[in-house]
Amino acid sequence: MFHALIARIKQGHRTMPYPKAPLRMPDRLRGYPDLKPEALSGESAACPFGALSTTDGGCLDLGKCLFCAECPAGPVSFTTDYRLAVTKREHLLVRPGVERHFAAPLPPDLRKLFGRSLKFREVSAGGCNACEADTNVLSTIGWDLGRFGIQFVASPRHADGLWVTGPVTENMRLALLQTYEAIPAPKIVVACGACAINGGPFQDAEAVHNGVDGFLPVDLYIPGCPPHPATILDGLLRILDKLR
Ligand code: SF4
C-alpha cells in the first residue's frame, strides 16, 4: 500500500490541462485545409473520394475528405488546426476566402439539460473501429472526458444522445434506428467520422447508406478518418458552450 501511494505521488496529475491551456498538436497532423483558389481547378482538383470540387471558385468538403493527402500539394495543404467539428452539414464545405464555421452551442433548454451530464450510446453502423478507437481515447486518464460530465453508457435508455460511427450499412440500419428510438427525448445525434457523415471510402457502395443524416437529424458533425480526439472534444465542448 505504501509503495502504491509513493508511486501515485511520483506520477502526479496525468490529465492534460486543456481547455484551460492550449493543446500542442504534432506537425504531421492534417487539420483545417488551406485552399489555393487559383490552383483549384481542372485536374488539380482530383480527389479519389469526391471531396474536391471546382465549382464556385473551388470547394473542399470536409465531410467527404479522408485527410489522405493524395490530392496535389499545390491547391490543398493542411494546417494543424484540429477544430473541424460543425453543427450544420453545409458548414463542412470549405471555400477559399469564405469565413469558416465552428460548432455552435445547443439551444439553451438542451444546454440546461445536458450541460453537466451528457451520456451517449455509441452505435458502430458498419465502421472499421478507427473512429471508435479515437473516441475511446477520450475516456483515458490523459483526456478524462468524464471531468466534463460526458460519458458513454451501455444502454440507450440511460443515454441523452446517439453517437454514430460507420457509413450505416444496410445490416446495421434497423439496429441504429431502434437504438435512436430507445433513447428518451430530448436527444441529440453525433456523426463521428467521414463514414458517418457521408459514407467515407464506402460512399455509394451498394450495402451502405452514405451516413446517418439521411435517417436522423444530426446535431454535431465531426469530420476525419478517424477524427483526432482533440477534434472530437472540441466539438463536444462547443455544443455545450464550454469553449468559444
Ligand atoms: S486529402 Fe484525400 S480525401 Fe481529402 S481532398 Fe485530398 S485526396 Fe481528397
Side-chain angles (χ1 to χ4, degrees), residues 30 46-52 60-61 64-72 76 78:
R30 293 180 196 140
C47 165
F49 305 103
L52 285 171
L60 193 158
D61 185 347
K64 293 181 178 177
C65 182
L66 305 191
F67 298 83
C68 64
E70 289 294 316
C71 44
V76 184
F78 291 94

Side-chain angles (χ1 to χ4, degrees), residues 8 11-18 138 140-145 147-148:
R8 184 69 188 84
Q11 285 173 9
H13 187 71
R14 292 293 181 94
T15 303
M16 62 184 67
Y18 177 81
L138 287 173
T140 59
I141 193 168
W143 296 87
D144 191 14
L145 189 64
R147 67 191 153 128
F148 305 108

